[in-house]
Amino acid sequence: MSILLNTSNLLPHGYCINWSPSLLWLYVLSDAAIVLAYYSIPITLTYFVWRRKDLQFRGIFLLFSAFILSCGTTHLLEIVTFWNPIYWIDASMKAVTASISVVTAIALVYITPQALKLPSPSQYDKEVYEHLNAYEALKAAQASLIEVDEYKKSEAALHASEQRLQLVLKASQLGFWDWDIKNNIVTRNERWAEILGYQLSNIEFTVRQWADFVHPDDREMAWQSVRDNIEGRTQMHALEYRMRTKSGEYKWVLDQAQVVSWDAEHKATRICGTHTDITERKNMEEQVRNFAFYDTLTQLPNRRLLGDRLTKAISTSKRSGYYGALMFLDLDNFKPINDAHGHQAGDLLLIEAANRLKGCIREVDTVARLGGDEFVVILSELSLDEAESISETKLIAEKILDALSKPYLLTVTHTGQKDKVVELECTASIGAVVFVKDHTSQIDLMKWADAAMYKAKDEGRNLIRFYDDSIIL
């Protein structure tokens, strides 16, 4: 340690290698090469920063340039001091280099967190994907050129085609997705995320994450359709299903996709597709369906849907041997109430009666409105025994009579007047018929139940009557 600390024993710089000219020139030539490299690098970096004025963190490039330039100067002074002992200049230059290096190190520590926040390459996938499509379109168009002398004309047409393609991609509002099956990497565009109320940066790029968005009731069906296309059982995956949005609601999407590349063993390696938001169309279809099959006032099944439900009930009875029942129901004295208190009160009474009817039946049963104050109830799968089936039907019918006979408190609204609460009473008459196996005609069942209902009215109303042979049609 004393030898190291004793500066009086130090040899003059260069003296220790003066005995070997080859060693001396190895030092000189090596330092000279380093100087040339260190001086050229700052020039290149400075030119790069000057040309790229949009570059972020330009200062760190200039600091690196200064640091490398000062390092080159220290190596230059190393050569000079072999012959000229300008050690103070050499040491001062090393001090400058040290200062610049410390500032550069501190700057790196400061900007590294900011640099890590810069957008990742996946966030530019939309632009890359669209450019790729445009490039593929251009390649296809170029392949179709067959006349060399028309090249310029075709080139202009290609340019116009590319512009149209870009406009279509922008206006289509399609959500693109691209699944690299081999590496299990999924790429999507911004519109794909927007459909679900997200930004692309909030979406994980995995197939599992897509499946989590799909409605639980649709998930297996959607995944099976994708598998069928990947495994070659179908030419295209095309399916409508529901996906959960950021707000927790569900949107309908049309998912269309196709395998676009295979490996040497003809196994799918890549599949591309699009998502189209069809929620509005589905809502319109549902509205049309409601208009076609449901009563607009009470939202009960109408005559058309009743026919379908009765057909199913008859088929079920034939197949299982269980009895079913059909009840025809008509409100008593509804017309006088409607005339006395107005159509609004009559409509409110019908809506309330429909709600009470729905509360009296099972989930497998159906209550429908034929029109006016007429309702029909279908009871399915009652019993294998006729007497028990009649007893069950009677119990439900009595429950209905009791529910409908309770007072109706209706709030009637008139423009420019105070709301008026009206208390009304309205009973019902019910005709019923049970059926099984051979009793399969809808027309006969409706006719028999209607005849039994009129018998109930003739005998005093607010009654239940079953059809039998004694009733004259």
Side-chain angles (χ1 to χ4, degrees):
M1 181 62 70
S2 62
I3 295 173
L4 292 175
L5 295 177
N6 188 0
T7 58
S8 62
N9 293 330
L10 292 177
L11 293 173
H13 186 65
Y15 181 77
C16 57
I17 58 174
N18 195 37
W19 56 273
S20 176
S22 59
L23 182 58
L24 174 63
W25 284 108
L26 179 60
Y27 269 99
V28 170
L29 293 176
S30 297
D31 278 329
I34 292 172
V35 169
L36 289 174
Y38 275 21
Y39 277 14
S40 65
I41 291 173
I43 295 172
T44 304
L45 284 176
T46 303
Y47 175 75
F48 175 72
V49 172
W50 176 69
R51 292 300 301 268
R52 286 295 304 273
K53 292 183 172 57
D54 61 324
L55 197 66
Q56 296 191 50
F57 311 116
R58 299 171 70 208
I60 196 66
F61 287 92
L62 296 176
L63 275 175
F64 267 115
S65 298
F67 170 66
I68 296 171
L69 185 64
S70 61
C71 287
T73 305
T74 58
H75 280 278
L76 179 62
L77 291 174
E78 288 287 341
I79 299 173
V80 175
T81 53
F82 279 127
W83 289 277
N84 296 292
I86 51 173
Y87 298 116
W88 273 107
I89 297 176
D90 185 28
S92 299
M93 194 62 225
K94 282 182 168 26
V96 171
T97 303
S99 300
I100 296 175
S101 63
V102 170
V103 172
T104 304
I106 294 172
L108 273 175
V109 172
Y110 174 74
I111 69 167
T112 296
Q114 300 179 53
L116 290 174
K117 294 179 181 178
L118 290 174
S120 64
S122 63
Q123 292 173 296
Y124 297 107
D125 282 345
K126 174 185 176 181
E127 182 178 355
V128 173
Y129 192 78
E130 292 177 350
H131 286 172
L132 178 62
N133 283 339
Y135 176 69
E136 294 294 336
L138 284 173
K139 284 175 60 180
Q142 287 174 341
S144 67
L145 295 177
I146 56 175
E147 296 294 335
V148 177
D149 58 348
E150 294 184 358
Y151 176 77
K152 290 185 178 181
K153 183 177 179 180
S154 299
E155 188 178 47
L158 282 174
H159 180 69
S161 175
E162 181 184 7
Q163 288 183 323
R164 287 194 297 271
L165 178 62
Q166 293 299 329
L167 290 173
V168 169
L169 289 174
K170 185 176 181 180
S172 65
Q173 293 294 294
L174 294 175
F176 291 99
W177 60 270
D178 183 351
W179 179 18
D180 179 351
I181 302 172
K182 184 176 181 180
N183 299 307
N184 197 26
I185 298 174
V186 180
T187 304
R188 304 180 178 99
N189 70 340
E190 192 68 43
R191 176 58 184 163
W192 193 98
E194 288 175 356
I195 290 175
L196 302 181
Y198 291 90
Q199 293 182 344
L200 195 61
S201 57
N202 302 136
I203 302 293
E204 295 179 16
F205 295 98
T206 64
V207 176
R208 174 62 183 275
Q209 195 256 7
W210 159 77
D212 289 342
F213 279 126
V214 180
H215 192 286
D217 295 342
D218 302 338
R219 193 170 295 154
E220 179 58 32
M221 173 180 62
W223 182 231
Q224 185 61 49
S225 179
V226 173
R227 280 202 303 263
D228 287 344
N229 188 238
I230 290 175
E231 294 170 9
R233 289 188 288 271
T234 59
Q235 291 186 347
M236 186 174 185
H237 157 67
L239 192 66
E240 296 177 358
Y241 54 83
R242 293 160 291 179
M243 296 190 74
R244 189 183 69 254
T245 65
K246 188 176 182 179
S247 64
E249 300 175 340
Y250 281 91
K251 278 189 174 183
W252 280 95
V253 299
L254 170 61
D255 188 4
Q256 296 177 296
Q258 201 169 25
V259 174
V260 296
S261 66
W262 298 262
D263 60 15
E265 299 177 355
H266 205 68
K267 290 183 178 180
T269 59
R270 183 183 176 193
I271 180 171
C272 298
T274 62
H275 277 182
T276 308
D277 184 355
I278 59 170
T279 306
E280 185 175 349
R281 192 199 83 195
K282 281 289 186 178
N283 290 338
M284 292 179 65
E285 289 176 354
E286 184 63 23
Q287 290 178 10
V288 171
R289 182 178 180 276
N290 283 337
F291 283 132
F293 295 106
Y294 289 88
D295 176 54
T296 56
L297 178 65
T298 62
Q299 296 303 306
L300 293 177
N302 61 15
R303 188 184 295 269
R304 183 180 288 123
L305 185 55
L306 171 66
D308 180 66
R309 297 281 178 86
L310 185 53
T311 299
K312 290 181 179 177
I314 293 171
S315 299
T316 300
S317 179
K318 283 183 176 181
R319 187 170 55 253
S320 65
Y322 280 83
Y323 277 82
L326 179 71
M327 291 191 289
F328 204 106
L329 182 152
D330 188 86
L331 299 181
D332 299 327
N333 299 319
F334 174 75
K335 188 176 185 304
I337 292 174
N338 196 50
D339 292 341
H341 298 279
H343 292 295
Q344 186 184 26
D347 288 346
L348 292 174
L349 191 148
L350 289 172
I351 293 170
E352 178 60 24
N355 291 332
R356 294 183 186 185
L357 281 169
K358 286 189 289 187
C360 294
I361 63 172
R362 304 166 300 172
E363 189 173 341
V364 295
D365 301 328
T366 297
V367 57
R369 182 190 178 203
L370 289 184
D373 58 343
E374 293 180 334
F375 298 88
V376 172
V377 176
I378 302 172
L379 304 179
S380 301
E381 301 182 30
L382 293 172
S383 173
L384 292 171
D385 180 74
E386 184 178 13
E388 288 182 8
S389 299
I390 293 173
S391 178
E392 288 182 37
T393 303
K394 186 177 180 181
L395 286 174
I396 296 174
E398 289 174 346
K399 184 179 179 182
I400 289 173
L401 286 185
D402 180 64
L404 294 179
S405 63
K406 288 182 170 56
Y408 293 80
L409 292 176
L410 308 174
T411 302
V412 181
T413 303
H414 294 289
T415 305
Q417 299 180 19
K418 186 178 180 180
D419 292 351
K420 182 180 179 181
V421 177
V422 179
E423 181 175 344
L424 302 174
E425 291 186 2
C426 185
T427 59
S429 298
I430 299 176
V433 58
V434 295
F435 60 87
V436 69
K437 296 181 180 178
D438 297 334
H439 297 163
T440 57
S441 170
Q442 285 193 37
I443 296 175
D444 286 344
L445 290 176
M446 292 290 289
K447 183 167 60 175
W448 295 339
D450 184 49
M453 183 272 294
Y454 275 107
K455 183 178 181 182
K457 280 191 178 291
D458 292 342
E459 295 182 3
R461 302 182 179 182
N462 196 26
L463 296 173
I464 306 162
R465 290 293 179 264
F466 281 81
Y467 175 78
D468 58 38
D469 295 337
S470 65
I471 297 178
I472 300 175
L473 298 175

